[in-house]
Amino acid sequence: GAWQGGERGDNANFATLMASHGWVVFAIEYRHAPAVRWPALIDDVDSSLVWIRDHAAEYDGDTARIVLMGRSAGAHLAKLAAYRRPVLAVRGVVSYYGPADLVDAYEYPPHPDPLRIRSVEETLIGGTPAEKPAAYADASPITYATHPLPPTLLVYSRRDHIVEARYGARLRDRLAATGTPVV
């Protein structure tokens, strides 16, 4: 939803599939831009993870085995929740075409650019990278790839014209350089 839309029930079939294989699935929501700006979205995710930490046992969840997973904007937030300042121990991250470096994406948007990435990011952050460099760095998972992080699976498509595979490749290389298991 480009940080601007989506609801936790949007992937109900996938969550049901995961649950049918014995996983406890918590689908969370966060407020959307432009109603809120960065960092309100990750604050919402962190609040949800605190709730999960405190209530997982009620659903037979094991907080020692938490894996965060998301698609697109949700994958971006999952990586940040695991990398930035985790509110609970995270055993792994699964990122389906999640943005990794908002500055790079802004400076080198995909071609074609059907979502107008610069506009989407300006709506999320509240300005350009030149105007808000600290916020862009804070909102970029690649910023935190300076030490070993939870094992990470990065899934991208060579044909994706929104979050190009090259963005994930740069994050993969940075994670690997820290000794983080990454595929």
Side-chain angles (χ1 to χ4, degrees), residues 25 38 41 47 53 77 124 128 133 135 144 149 159 179:
V25 178
W38 187 261
L41 295 77
S47 292
R53 181 194 67 208
L77 294 170
L124 170 66
T128 68
Y144 305 95
L149 293 166
R159 292 182 166 185

Side-chain angles (χ1 to χ4, degrees), residues 47-69:
S47 292
S48 294
L49 293 176
V50 166
W51 186 91
I52 290 168
R53 181 194 67 208
D54 295 344
H55 296 275
E58 297 168 27
Y59 300 90
D60 294 325
D62 181 354
T63 57
R65 296 174 44 194
I66 297 283
V67 174
L68 303 180
M69 180 172 54

Side-chain angles (χ1 to χ4, degrees), residues 1-6 30-36 38 41-42 71-77 80 98-100 102 105 115 117 120-125 139 141 163:
W3 302 286
Q4 296 175 27
Y30 55 89
R31 292 171 291 167
H32 300 120
V36 297
W38 187 261
L41 295 77
I42 192 64
R71 291 182 10 223
S72 195
H76 164 260
L77 294 170
L80 283 169
L102 299 188
L115 287 185
I117 294 301
V120 168
E121 288 188 4
E122 288 174 22
T123 299
L124 170 66
I125 303 294
V163 182

Side-chain angles (χ1 to χ4, degrees), residues 70-73 75-76 79 95-99 154-157 160 163:
R71 291 182 10 223
S72 195
H76 164 260
K79 288 183 288 198
S95 169
Y96 288 96
Y97 44 93
L154 302 169
V155 181
Y156 293 87
S157 169
D160 191 334
V163 182

Side-chain angles (χ1 to χ4, degrees), residues 83-96:
Y83 299 171
R84 192 169 170 254
R85 49 177 196 257
V87 298
L88 52 71
V90 175
R91 295 281 303 272
V93 179
V94 179
S95 169
Y96 288 96

